[in-house]
Amino acid sequence: MMDLYTYATSNGQRASIMLEECGLPYKAIKVDLEKGEQKAPNFLKINPAGQIPALVDPDRPGGKALTLAQSGAIILYLSEKTGKLMPRDPVKRAQALQWFLQTMSDVAPASGTLFVVGTIPEATSSTRKFFEQRLLNQFRNSDKRLGEGEFLAGEFSIADIALYPTVSTRRELIEQAGDLPNLLRWAATMAARPGVQRGMKVPG
């Protein structure tokens, strides 16, 4: 059984949703970021960067456990381990990787920057609006894509798992924008999946 060190953030939720959707047994271990537990010596032995999520998989050839950080790396590892959630068709596979990386390199950082701006007392409302629009522009790219099909790669894949936690976190902003109907339709489809529901509740 794998151990997932995590907290209720978009990064943590990506990993737990992937585990749930792959049907893999795991134990969720809460690392309370608000209490600074990510900087505790015991956790730093698992991930010296002091960030969640981190996955420990003891089921490896030779009996040596694999320790892996970064939600994107965890998603890709679990997809390869199980053969799930990566399209077999070469074109759809390429699309899944494109939209997966679009989330990890563009959407998620834009959302993270907006969070940081919200913690800075000196930040002006215009500054926050600037970064809100930056994030919404990224969401508009996804919305346009979702106007072409039910899922980002034409079928449910790692790309959808990567994007959903950020969309869920920014739901109010998306609704206020008023021009992202495909993204909201897709979010409702994702929210109805039992695996997504379970993953979003981790670590409880």
Side-chain angles (χ1 to χ4, degrees):
M1 178 180 291
M2 287 178 274
D3 290 336
L4 176 66
Y5 294 82
T6 189
Y7 194 58
T9 67
S10 295
N11 283 327
Q13 289 161 346
R14 286 187 190 97
S16 53
I17 290 172
M18 186 66 181
L19 284 161
E20 292 288 347
E21 288 287 350
C22 288
L24 292 168
Y26 69 100
K27 178 173 69 173
I29 301 166
K30 183 177 181 179
V31 180
D32 195 327
L33 304 185
E34 295 181 19
K35 295 180 180 179
E37 292 178 356
Q38 73 276 20
K39 301 300 181 183
N42 286 345
F43 182 69
L44 291 175
K45 291 178 182 178
I46 297 165
N47 183 9
Q51 297 176 332
I52 62 96
L55 183 75
V56 179
D57 183 2
D59 183 22
R60 299 293 299 167
K64 186 176 181 179
L66 170 71
T67 300
L68 191 64
Q70 294 292 329
S71 61
I74 290 170
I75 287 174
L76 290 172
Y77 169 71
L78 295 176
S79 179
E80 289 190 1
K81 180 182 177 74
T82 62
K84 296 180 178 180
L85 298 170
M86 182 68 80
R88 295 189 178 185
D89 176 80
V91 173
K92 289 184 177 180
R93 181 184 180 88
Q95 291 171 340
L97 288 169
Q98 173 188 324
W99 290 100
F100 171 79
L101 291 169
Q102 194 258 356
T103 289
M104 302 309 298
S105 64
D106 298 329
V107 178
S111 181
T113 300
L114 183 56
F115 171 79
V116 171
V117 168
T119 66
I120 301 174
E122 296 82 7
T124 64
S125 59
S126 60
T127 299
R128 181 173 181 83
K129 285 290 184 183
F130 173 83
F131 285 105
E132 284 180 351
Q133 287 303 312
R134 186 178 180 185
L135 176 57
L136 286 170
N137 286 337
Q138 295 298 339
F139 282 144
R140 288 181 181 112
N141 290 332
S142 300
D143 182 83
K144 182 178 180 180
R145 173 63 180 173
L146 290 166
E148 302 170 358
E150 185 177 10
F151 296 106
L152 289 165
E155 63 183 71
F156 182 59
S157 73
I158 61 168
D160 303 289
I161 288 175
L163 181 61
Y164 180 72
T166 301
V167 169
S168 178
T169 297
R170 300 299 179 185
R171 181 65 182 252
E172 183 177 355
L173 179 65
I174 291 167
E175 291 178 343
Q176 288 175 349
D179 62 349
L180 297 162
N182 301 311
L183 190 63
L184 288 172
R185 182 268 307 158
W186 168 88
T189 299
M190 291 291 292
R193 295 183 66 90
V196 172
Q197 293 172 5
R198 292 191 298 269
M200 290 294 287
K201 294 177 182 177
V202 176

